[in-house]
């Protein structure tokens, strides 16, 4: 790596820290670490959500996947508008109107502290493993730029990210996410420009059959071992994405920081309309790379984008792309630190240790927990260096909790007779069913609906014959439906948008074949 690349990366990191510092000076002690001053506009929250979910692996992984298998992978991202339609009508209105810091507070009010504790434990476990892998991945990149080994990079990056998160809380996280999004977009534009200059229209037409084959998205087969069928994308993966956007503190926390409920719901519309285009454009990049390399085989598909960048662009572009990948990974890390510190503060510390202290006290505790999380994650990240396969094996087991995470909230929102006993039994049967699926050869998208539906079925049956509801549970259930909101025009537009994307995916290869 040259000095230009190093300068761009260091300049970006300096600007990121400066944003955290300026945000901390502006808000002082007025806002909450977890929700700020609840004054963010919809676009800031929406961009922050997009930045959190669009990781470094999106930048290099999606083009690599398409390079190997074609654009069938795009089908698993078709369901975002449908998912966001339901999130905006049920999940966000309930959480926002309750004025809670952690979405798991809802579960105690609805069921009891055991239901809350189960989901808190699942969240902390999942985020610890996924963030550790993200930290390891970014350290691999940074170790190629800075005169540090990978272990030192893990420590430096983790503490650096925690530092600006500590300074400004969720406000710093969201504004740095905006910066990170700008850098990511710039990196994409530069790579796409150089790629489009390298692949001419004549080459595309000369390889028309190959291009048409790569552009095929819709697979209507009923193969449950295939992860990219139409039914897996529209139905099965929708459960996974509903879990991510409806019952995930990492995402919902941004909507809770907006200035009003309308802004909270609108922020999610950016995701509903925008996510398809993100994955579509990265998929097209994969098709162009396939033409450029004439289908050459790579040992690791995730290296294809970087191979092109380092061999076919200049040092400035290389610096921006490396910075884009670092920015995407840091967006995931800072969001994790902030959400984990919120959970540790409000779901554990405030719930079990110090109940009645001023909000200023909990803000200080949350800041300290963000540093604590940064230190804790260094361990599993370093484990990935010496034994990556072990960490990835542990990470694969995090998918077992998707049914518990989503099922708990669906049961609470839509079945009035559900009680905590139903949640406990549903947790057991969901974990068992997903463990069976894990070793059955069933394609991974189907794990989410199976785990969720088994959880709900068990929860409904158990609640009918076992367990009781407390007076607090009953009072809340009687008023819960009043917290729901009717869909807006923008939400109905999401459903129309889904149909349009399906039509576009159907006709795209056919249009190219006629050229």
């Amino acid at each position: 790596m040259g000095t230009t690349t190093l300068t761009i990366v260091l300049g970006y990191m300096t600007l990121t820290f400066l944003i955290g510092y300026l945000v901390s000076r502006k808000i002082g002690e007025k806002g909450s670490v977890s929700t700020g001053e609840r004054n963010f506009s919809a676009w800031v929250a929406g961009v922050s959500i997009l930045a959190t979910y669009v990781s470094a692996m999106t930048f290099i992984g999606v083009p690599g996947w398409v390079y190997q298998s074609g654009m069938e992978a795009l089908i698993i991202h078709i369901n975002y508008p449908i998912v966001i339609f339901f999130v905006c009508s049920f999940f966000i209105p309930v959480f926002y109107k309750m004025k809670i810091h952690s979405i798991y507070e809802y579960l105690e009010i609805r069921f009891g502290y055991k239901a809350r504790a189960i989901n808190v434990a699942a969240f902390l476990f999942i985020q610890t493993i996924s963030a550790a892998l993200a930290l390891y991945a970014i350290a691999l990149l940074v170790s190629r730029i800075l005169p540090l080994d990978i272990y030192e990079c893990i420590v430096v990056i983790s503490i650096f990210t925690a530092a600006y998160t500590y300074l400004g809380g969720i406000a710093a996280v969201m504004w740095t996410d905006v910066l990170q999004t700008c850098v990511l977009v710039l990196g994409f534009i530069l790579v796409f420009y150089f790629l489009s200059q390298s692949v001419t229209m004549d080459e595309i037409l000369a390889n028309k059959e190959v291009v048409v084959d790569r552009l095929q998205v819709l697979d209507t087969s009923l193969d449950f071992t295939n992860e990219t069928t139409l039914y897996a994308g529209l139905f099965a993966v929708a459960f996974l994405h509903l879990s991510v956007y409806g019952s995930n503190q990492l995402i919902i926390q941004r909507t809770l920081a907006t200035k009003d409920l309308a802004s909270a719901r609108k922020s999610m519309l950016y995701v509903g309309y925008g996510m398809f285009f993100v994955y579509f454009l990265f998929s097209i990049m994969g098709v162009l790379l396939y033409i450029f390399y004439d289908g050459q085989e790579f040992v690791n598909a995730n290296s294809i984008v970087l191979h092109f960048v380092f061999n076919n662009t200049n040092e400035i572009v290389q610096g921006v792309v490396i910075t884009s990948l670092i920015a995407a990974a840091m967006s995931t890390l800072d969001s994790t630190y902030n959400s984990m510190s919120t959970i540790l503060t409000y779901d554990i510390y405030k719930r079990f240790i110090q109940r009645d202290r001023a909000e200023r006290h909990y803000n200080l505790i949350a800041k300290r927990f963000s540093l604590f999380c940064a230190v804790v994650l260094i361990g599993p990240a370093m484990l990935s260096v010496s034994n990556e396969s072990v960490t990835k094996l542990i990470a694969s087991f995090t998918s077992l909790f998707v049914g518990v995470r989503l099922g708990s909230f669906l049961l609470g929102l839509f079945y009035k007779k559900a009680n905590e006993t139903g949640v406990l039994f549903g947790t057991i049967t969901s974990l068992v069913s997903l463990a069976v699926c894990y070793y059955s050869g069933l394609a991974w998208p189907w794990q989410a609906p199976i785990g969720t539906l088994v959880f709900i079925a068990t929860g409904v049956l158990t609640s009918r014959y076992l367990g009781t509801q407390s007076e607090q549970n009953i009072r809340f259930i009687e008023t819960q439906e009043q917290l729901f909101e009717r869909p807006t025009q923008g939400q109905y537009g999401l459903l129309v948008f889904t149909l349009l994307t399906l039509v576009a995916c159907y006709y795209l290869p056919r249009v190219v074949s006629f050229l």
Side-chain angles (χ1 to χ4, degrees), residues 46-55 177-178 180-181 184 327-328 331-332:
V47 169
S48 181
I49 294 169
L50 283 168
T52 298
Y53 201 67
V54 177
S55 66
D177 280 349
V178 173
Q180 288 155 357
T181 300
L184 189 66
S331 175
T332 301

Side-chain angles (χ1 to χ4, degrees), residues 85-117:
F85 178 90
F86 288 102
V87 170
C88 287
S89 291
F90 302 107
F91 292 84
I92 290 177
V94 171
F95 300 145
Y96 195 93
K97 290 178 181 179
M98 291 177 70
K99 295 297 181 184
I100 53 181
H101 292 89
S102 160
I103 63 173
Y104 306 114
E105 294 176 53
Y106 163 84
L107 292 177
E108 179 164 3
I109 296 171
R110 176 61 182 83
F111 294 113
Y113 77 91
K114 293 177 184 176
R116 180 180 184 178

Side-chain angles (χ1 to χ4, degrees), residues 241-259:
H241 287 157
L242 188 58
S243 171
V244 170
Y245 289 99
S247 59
N248 184 1
Q249 176 72 18
L250 193 72
I251 299 298
I252 294 295
Q253 192 165 327
R254 279 128 177 88
T255 67
L256 299 179
T258 54
K259 58 187 178 183

Side-chain angles (χ1 to χ4, degrees), residues 122-135:
F123 175 83
L124 292 175
F125 172 68
I126 292 169
Q127 293 307 133
T128 297
I129 300 302
S130 59
L133 286 172
L135 179 56

